[in-house]
Amino acid sequence: REQGVKVMQKCSGAPLWVTWAANYTWDVLNALLPNILVVVILVIGAQWLEGLEAFADDAFALWFGTFLTSLAVIPCVYCLSFLFTNPANASNYIGFLNFGLGIITFITYSILSDLDESSISEDTKTFIDQIFSLFPQYVFARIIFTIYYNRNIYKSCELNEITKLACEDAGFVYVKDVLTIEEGGIGEYL
C-alpha cells in the first residue's frame, strides 16, 4: 500500500490476479523463515525440556503442519484486513482472532469428545470436528495435539511386548508415522 505497487501494476496492464498472486507468493516466502525457526527452536529445546521430545521426533510433520496452516491463514488475513485502516491494528486484532479461534474451537471439541455416548453421539462429535476443521486455527491446534499425544503414546507403548499388549488392551490408538491418514495421524487435518 505504501509503495503504490498495486497502482503501478494496474497502470502497466497487469491483471488483478497477478497482483494477488504476487502478494500471496511474497507472504508465503515471508512465512517460511518463521515456520522453520519455530521447528528449529523446538528441536533445540527438546535437548533440555523433556516434553518437547515429541516435536523433535516428528519435526518434519510439525513444520509441514505449520507451513500448511500458514498457507491457509494468509487468505483469511487478506479478507479481514479490509476491515481496518491501520495495518498495526489489523495485525494485532487478526492475531488475537487467530489465537482465540484456535483455542476456543480446540477446547470446545476436546470437552465434547470426552463426553460419553449418552450425552453426545459419535456422529455429532465427527460433525463438530468437520465444521471446526474449516478453521485453519483449529486444524493447527489439532495437529500439534496429535503429534504430541501420538508420539508420547507410541514411545510408552513400544517399550516392550508387555507395554504393547497393555496399550492394545486399554485401546490406545497410535501410529508410527504421524503423517498418515489413519486414526492417530495428522493426515486428515493436512
Side-chain angles (χ1 to χ4, degrees), residues 12-40:
S12 68
L16 187 60
W17 69 268
V18 170
T19 304
W20 284 106
N23 285 337
Y24 186 73
T25 303
W26 177 252
D27 289 339
V28 167
L29 291 174
N30 280 327
L32 274 175
L33 183 62
N35 289 335
I36 292 169
L37 284 176
V38 165
V39 174
V40 167

Side-chain angles (χ1 to χ4, degrees), residues 62-77:
L62 178 64
W63 174 81
F64 195 56
T66 304
F67 180 68
L68 290 180
T69 301
S70 296
L71 294 180
V73 167
I74 290 170
C76 297
V77 171

Side-chain angles (χ1 to χ4, degrees), residues 82-117:
F82 293 110
L83 299 174
F84 304 95
T85 55
N86 183 346
N89 286 347
S91 178
N92 288 334
Y93 289 129
I94 293 171
F96 285 125
L97 178 68
N98 282 328
F99 181 75
L101 269 174
I103 294 292
I104 290 169
T105 53
F106 180 73
I107 289 174
T108 301
Y109 179 76
S110 297
I111 291 170
L112 292 175
S113 66
D114 284 341
L115 297 175
D116 61 0
E117 278 288 324

Side-chain angles (χ1 to χ4, degrees), residues 33-55:
L33 183 62
N35 289 335
I36 292 169
L37 284 176
V38 165
V39 174
V40 167
I41 289 168
L42 287 173
V43 169
I44 291 171
Q47 296 174 3
W48 297 283
L49 299 171
E50 190 175 319
L52 295 179
E53 289 174 350
F55 298 120

Side-chain angles (χ1 to χ4, degrees), residues 55 62 66 139-149 186:
F55 298 120
L62 178 64
T66 304
V139 171
F140 183 62
R142 290 286 294 174
I143 287 171
I144 290 175
F145 173 78
T146 303
I147 289 171
Y148 184 79
Y149 178 80
I186 63 170

Side-chain angles (χ1 to χ4, degrees), residues 73-188:
V73 167
I74 290 170
C76 297
V77 171
Y78 287 167
C79 293
L80 293 173
S81 68
F82 293 110
L83 299 174
F84 304 95
T85 55
N86 183 346
N89 286 347
S91 178
N92 288 334
Y93 289 129
I94 293 171
F96 285 125
L97 178 68
N98 282 328
F99 181 75
L101 269 174
I103 294 292
I104 290 169
T105 53
F106 180 73
I107 289 174
T108 301
Y109 179 76
S110 297
I111 291 170
L112 292 175
S113 66
D114 284 341
L115 297 175
D116 61 0
E117 278 288 324
S118 63
S119 301
I120 186 170
S121 70
E122 285 298 319
D123 291 338
T124 305
K125 292 177 190 177
T126 303
F127 178 73
I128 291 170
D129 183 45
Q130 290 171 344
I131 293 297
F132 283 172
S133 291
L134 296 173
F135 299 106
Q137 303 85 349
Y138 169 75
V139 171
F140 183 62
R142 290 286 294 174
I143 287 171
I144 290 175
F145 173 78
T146 303
I147 289 171
Y148 184 79
Y149 178 80
N150 181 71
R151 182 53 61 183
N152 285 316
I153 294 295
Y154 179 79
K155 281 184 174 180
S156 298
C157 292
E158 293 291 322
L159 289 174
N160 55 46
E161 281 301 313
I162 295 172
T163 57
K164 192 173 186 175
L165 291 173
C167 288
E168 286 175 13
D169 189 47
F172 288 126
V173 177
Y174 60 93
V175 292
K176 181 175 181 163
D177 179 18
V178 77
L179 288 170
T180 186
I181 295 177
E182 300 171 20
E183 185 179 1
I186 63 170
E188 68 180 306

